């Protein structure tokens, strides 16, 4: 059981990493390897929402996922862009941004991607269980 769950989480992480990097390449034209790590962590975290709650409505999971991913993006941005100076992204020109690392528009995108993560994780439960 532990091995099965571990494999599922690794699979969800890798799937999230690939999906997020593809989304970035499609919409931005390029990506950075660290965005794959962030996408994988976000996919796993959002996927766990169903496991720590008793199947909340999808809209609630999307809102929770948007908050989780926005906070993780802010933390990653503070480390990667501000502290390490890698300048991977900069939202300073976008209205409502926080320190150029997150903005409301991308919080909405995280909500949509959270719905995908919840759906994928639900399907994987059926496959692995």
């Amino acid at each position: 059981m532990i091995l099965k769950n571990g494999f599922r989480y690794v699979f969800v992480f890798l799937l999230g990493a690939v999906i997020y990097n593809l989304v970035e390449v499609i919409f931005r034209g390029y990506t950075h390897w660290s965005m794959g790590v962030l996408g994988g962590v976000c996919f796993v975290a959002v996927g766990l929402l169903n496991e720590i709650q008793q199947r909340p409505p999808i809209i609630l999971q999307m809102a929770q996922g948007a908050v989780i991913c926005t906070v993780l993006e802010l933390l990653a941005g503070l480390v990667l862009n501000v502290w390490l100076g890698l300048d991977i992204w900069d939202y300073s020109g976008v209205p409502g941004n926080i320190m150029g690392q997150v903005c409301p528009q991308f919080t909405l995108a995280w909500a949509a991607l959270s719905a995908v993560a919840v759906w994928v994780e639900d399907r994987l439960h059926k496959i692995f269980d």
Side-chain angles (χ1 to χ4, degrees), residues 40-71:
V41 169
C42 287
F43 247 60
V44 170
V46 172
L48 287 172
L49 289 173
N50 264 350
E51 295 183 29
I52 59 175
Q53 303 173 94
Q54 293 301 313
R55 293 222 173 260
I58 187 66
I59 194 77
L60 178 60
Q61 291 180 76
M62 290 171 66
Q64 291 170 329
V67 169
I68 289 168
C69 295
T70 299
V71 168

Side-chain angles (χ1 to χ4, degrees), residues 23-117:
V23 167
E24 272 220 317
V25 168
I26 290 167
F27 288 100
R28 194 172 153 194
Y30 62 95
T31 191
H32 187 269
W33 66 267
S34 62
M35 297 301 89
V37 174
L38 179 60
V41 169
C42 287
F43 247 60
V44 170
V46 172
L48 287 172
L49 289 173
N50 264 350
E51 295 183 29
I52 59 175
Q53 303 173 94
Q54 293 301 313
R55 293 222 173 260
I58 187 66
I59 194 77
L60 178 60
Q61 291 180 76
M62 290 171 66
Q64 291 170 329
V67 169
I68 289 168
C69 295
T70 299
V71 168
L72 290 173
E73 183 181 34
L74 176 62
L75 294 173
L78 291 174
V79 171
L80 298 169
N81 296 326
V82 176
W83 183 37
L84 296 177
L86 297 178
D87 295 323
I88 299 167
W89 71 89
D90 181 6
Y91 301 144
S92 59
V94 179
N97 80 83
I98 298 173
M99 298 177 67
Q101 304 310 306
V102 294
C103 62
Q105 296 85 334
F106 286 101
T107 298
L108 293 175
W110 283 120
L113 286 172
S114 292
V116 173

